[in-house]
Amino acid sequence: MRINRILLSAPLVVVALVIQVTILARLQLPGAVPDLLLLVVLGLALVYGHVGGALVGFFAGLLADLAPPSDHAIGRYALVLCVIGYCAGLTKPESGQHRSATLPLLVVLGAAIGSTLMYAGVGALVGDTAARHVGIVGLLLSATLYDLLLAPFTVPLVMALARRTEGEALAGDGSGSSGAAGRDSGYGWLTTGTGLKASRGAMKSVRTGTGIGSQRGSLLGKSARDKVGRIKGVKRL
């Protein structure tokens, strides 16, 4: 990952985790806890792509596994967010920007359901049966509802910040507007045709003799001026 991505992702992940642990987890809402960390990972993955999304998801989940009051095996949530970040990054369009909010909303919906199922499934593999006592259906409904309510206030803001840092990085390394300008100037003769017209004009002047005549005239004029200069120099002596 580039430095600008790390400088943005690290504070966002830390702030989201602090808010989730200190505020959202203490609201005593029925069912699941609103997953602000998941929404931050989704917002970054939608801009950075599948590789960046997987890396951000892994380190964000690992930080959540280590942060108190964690009561599950270390690496469990890191695996979940890594897979979710990778899958969300696959939906990034080639242009880099989504044309509407429909696809990000569907990504949030799928991530809320998928992360809950994966977390419960991994917990079942390691012997954690807490999801059975709470009820997997209640967890799915509550997690999806809470994430969809928080998504309009979180995901667009995170995506806007990520796009801004991406734009600054492109402008800084010369691959942005300056690079595009260089490509346009280098291939401008293919698009505008000015270079082709100039070459045709040069060939036409060669065929008609005007170009050669003008060159001869300029050479003769220069030699005449030099001769006059030498004569004047002799007269002065």
Side-chain angles (χ1 to χ4, degrees):
M1 292 182 66
R2 291 194 292 264
I3 298 299
N4 65 308
R5 293 185 176 184
I6 298 175
L7 293 177
L8 176 65
S9 302
L12 289 178
V13 167
V14 172
V15 171
L17 182 60
V18 171
I19 294 176
Q20 181 171 329
V21 172
T22 59
I23 298 177
L24 298 179
R26 297 184 179 182
L27 294 178
Q28 301 298 327
L29 296 174
V33 176
D35 201 342
L36 184 62
L37 189 62
L38 172 66
L39 298 178
V40 170
V41 171
L42 292 178
L44 294 174
L46 289 172
V47 178
Y48 293 160
H50 59 283
V51 177
L55 292 175
V56 172
F58 175 78
F59 287 107
L62 185 61
L63 185 62
D65 290 333
L66 297 174
S70 177
D71 57 351
H72 55 266
I74 297 177
R76 178 178 172 183
Y77 202 48
L79 174 62
V80 173
L81 287 187
C82 180
V83 175
I84 293 297
Y86 181 86
C87 295
L90 292 176
T91 63
K92 176 186 175 182
E94 295 181 358
S95 61
Q97 294 186 1
H98 297 82
R99 296 182 179 180
S100 64
T102 303
L103 183 58
L105 186 62
L106 293 177
V107 171
V108 172
L109 179 62
I113 299 175
S115 62
T116 304
L117 292 176
M118 287 182 59
Y119 188 81
V122 175
L125 292 177
V126 298
D128 185 4
T129 59
R132 298 179 182 177
H133 301 290
V134 177
I136 190 64
V137 177
L139 286 177
L140 282 174
L141 294 178
S142 58
T144 304
L145 178 61
Y146 298 152
D147 291 344
L148 288 178
L149 291 177
L150 283 178
F153 306 100
T154 306
V155 177
L157 178 61
V158 174
M159 293 178 65
L161 292 174
R163 288 197 185 105
R164 184 174 181 180
T165 56
E166 288 289 283
E168 291 176 355
L170 291 177
D173 60 12
S175 60
S177 58
S178 59
R183 290 192 298 269
D184 292 340
S185 61
Y187 297 94
W189 62 277
L190 289 175
T191 55
T192 59
T194 54
L196 187 58
K197 291 181 180 179
S199 61
R200 288 178 178 175
M203 294 176 64
K204 184 177 181 180
S205 63
V206 170
R207 287 197 300 268
T208 56
T210 56
I212 298 176
S214 60
Q215 292 178 359
R216 288 179 177 176
S218 62
L219 292 175
L220 291 175
K222 183 178 180 180
S223 60
R225 287 194 298 271
D226 294 339
K227 187 181 293 185
V228 172
R230 289 196 297 272
I231 293 175
K232 288 183 178 180
V234 171
K235 287 182 178 180
R236 288 176 183 173
L237 292 175

